[in-house]
Amino acid sequence: MLLQIDGRVREEFPEICVVVKGLSGVLVRSSDDELERFKQEKFRELRCRFSVDGLKDLPVIRSYRNFYWRLGIDPTKIRPAGEALLRRILLGRDLPRINTLVDAYNLASAETGVAISALDREKLTGNLVLRYSKPGEIFEGMNGKLELSGREPVVSDDEKVVAIYPYRDSEQTKITEKTREVVFLFCGVPGVETANLLAAAEKTITYVRRFCGGEEVQQ
């Protein structure tokens, strides 16, 4: 699946890069004991490496925070995804348990700081574009519908908005236990190098294939 970056977004944020990866034939389950043990092992490693007080100064997290400020979002109230997940871990809490695929990529996001979107490929129409929203356009988020202002960067397919970039995915394309094909978006912002996105992609694909199977699909 292709993702195009619209000219307006490219003009304002020329450094933005999005890495797209796909898996087919995944088996998504509600939970997995081996995954839970693996998560706890990674939590211990992260708690040794990082502190809550130092999170905001990590280069990748700082870049997402700066991007949020440019969008008019206060990142101390709506935290970038990777930061929010890692913060939970460092505070001694578990990550939300959704299903094995979402839990696996959330762990990769916490480890790398990179914002990751996951979309059910069978619920998408056509290709994807990163663009600005249209005033009055409706986004069906997981916590309800939102009327967009025209200032939000969004990812859409040929029919609908599938994500507010880079922090909210759509209810319409979310990953469920019925998902068999998934498209991952590794969402870059100015200051986050392509190498960071590729490292996050490699870790995500490794984790998801370990706990959900599947084969990588060339995009």
Side-chain angles (χ1 to χ4, degrees), residues 32-44 97 107 210-211:
D32 178 87
D33 290 342
E34 183 185 352
L35 173 57
E36 292 306 312
R37 289 190 291 270
F38 181 71
K39 284 164 57 179
Q40 294 303 319
E41 176 186 327
K42 292 298 179 181
F43 291 174
R44 289 191 289 272
R97 296 185 185 184
L107 179 60
R210 176 173 175 178
F211 298 106

Side-chain angles (χ1 to χ4, degrees), residues 31-32 56 62 72 81 86 97 120 123 126 135 154 157 159 162 181 186 192-193 205 212:
S31 63
D32 178 87
K56 65 181 184 301
R62 171 57 61 190
L86 181 53
R97 296 185 185 184
D120 188 318
K123 299 174 183 176
V154 299
D157 66 8
E159 295 181 345
V162 301
E181 296 185 47
F186 299 90
V192 174
E193 302 293 335
I205 297 300
C212 304

